[in-house]
Amino acid sequence: MGPVHSGVRARRLFGFGSLVLTVALVLSTSSSPTRTFSQISPTMEVDPEYPGTAVERLRNIQARVKSLTPDDLSKDWEEVRRKILWAGGLKDLPHSVPGQGYTGHSFNDDNHCDLTPMLGEVAHNLHQGEIRGIAMGNKLGPGIEVASLPELGPGGSWSTCTNGCHVEPPQDVAHVQFRARIAFKLVWTPPSFSSFVLVDDSGAYLNHGTPTGALPDLRARASNYNLVKGSKYAREADALADRSAGA
């Protein structure tokens, strides 16, 4: 197939669950740099509410998360973090340059705790100022391309910022900048913040663990919980805390 020029419109029929969505795509390659991500195909499933979601990739990520056991996620923190990166389709790149694939911060602070699977072109979206506390631009695309594991499906993965997720609909990087759902969110559980839960975009439980060793700073873990406190994303963390208190 030859190149598709700017202004050419193609109509595609996509199914998502019981929904059928007719999408008009405006495809342009004449002004875009070459991408290393898999491109949108006519048969690709699309999420009508968050069309930037890499749906196939999201499902494969969640399958990987569920393939882990709580024991797997209760070992030394660095080993656990590498498993979380692997499940999310991210490489462990602690020595790369920030902005060029570095993932040493991923799940290691209070905020970079959302795993977002986005379509390839969407990964290059820039922040236009809608999200409080996020820098203008927030250019993540080049790093996403470098750090994403290709075997989980088209598109890429990134550990996006969780701030803004406490409102409905969420006003965070995943949902606003990338128009994508999260595959999972890591939330540390009160009151000691020594355990965490992994929950999906609706806040439903996926997995949990109680890692050992050098955890992220206690203040960061407490701040991570406070970013979701009172929202759907805190429910499973609160439930785990209640079960632990009653044990």
Side-chain angles (χ1 to χ4, degrees):
M1 181 181 295
V4 181
H5 297 288
S6 179
V8 176
R9 294 180 181 271
R11 292 192 178 273
R12 304 288 188 241
L13 194 65
F14 297 92
F16 186 78
S18 61
L19 295 174
V20 177
L21 175 68
T22 302
V23 181
L25 296 174
V26 180
L27 303 176
S28 173
T29 59
S30 59
S31 60
S32 299
T34 301
R35 305 297 191 214
T36 60
F37 291 127
S38 301
Q39 300 298 308
I40 295 175
S41 74
T43 58
M44 185 176 290
E45 196 171 14
V46 169
D47 183 325
E49 187 174 2
Y50 290 103
T53 309
V55 177
E56 177 186 349
R57 192 173 182 89
L58 180 148
R59 288 177 173 159
N60 289 334
I61 287 169
Q62 291 180 346
R64 275 192 173 181
V65 170
K66 292 176 181 178
S67 75
L68 299 170
T69 67
D71 283 344
D72 291 330
L73 299 176
S74 298
K75 301 183 186 304
D76 181 80
W77 169 243
E78 272 309 306
E79 181 181 347
V80 169
R81 196 179 73 87
R82 284 192 290 270
K83 285 186 171 72
I84 293 171
L85 290 172
W86 168 81
L90 280 174
K91 302 171 187 175
D92 180 28
L93 299 175
H95 304 300
S96 293
V97 176
Q100 297 180 30
Y102 175 74
T103 56
H105 66 306
S106 300
F107 308 103
N108 240 349
D109 60 14
D110 60 339
N111 205 13
H112 294 89
C113 294
D114 284 356
L115 195 290
T116 303
M118 73 287 288
L119 296 174
E121 289 297 313
V122 174
H124 293 268
N125 284 4
L126 298 179
H127 176 228
Q128 303 300 324
E130 309 96 325
I131 310 166
R132 185 175 180 180
I134 300 297
M136 286 290 291
N138 195 34
K139 186 177 181 179
L140 300 174
I144 295 170
E145 291 200 31
V146 171
S148 295
L149 297 172
E151 67 265 24
L152 288 179
S157 298
W158 197 244
S159 54
T160 57
C161 291
T162 197
N163 60 299
C165 74
H166 62 292
V167 296
E168 192 62 37
Q171 297 297 298
D172 52 30
V173 170
H175 295 88
V176 176
Q177 181 173 338
F178 294 121
R179 297 294 298 154
R181 296 184 190 273
I182 60 168
F184 64 81
K185 182 189 299 288
L186 184 149
V187 182
W188 291 96
T189 63
S192 65
F193 306 105
S194 58
S195 297
F196 66 84
V197 293
L198 300 176
V199 298
D200 69 11
D201 194 72
S202 69
Y205 172 88
L206 293 172
N207 218 323
H208 76 279
T210 305
T212 60
L215 304 180
D217 183 80
L218 176 58
R219 289 170 297 182
R221 287 178 277 143
S223 175
N224 163 265
Y225 172 76
N226 286 330
L227 286 171
V228 306
K229 187 176 181 179
S231 76
K232 62 186 178 183
Y233 297 118
R235 287 196 305 256
E236 291 298 332
D238 292 338
L240 181 60
D242 290 343
R243 290 196 299 272
S244 298

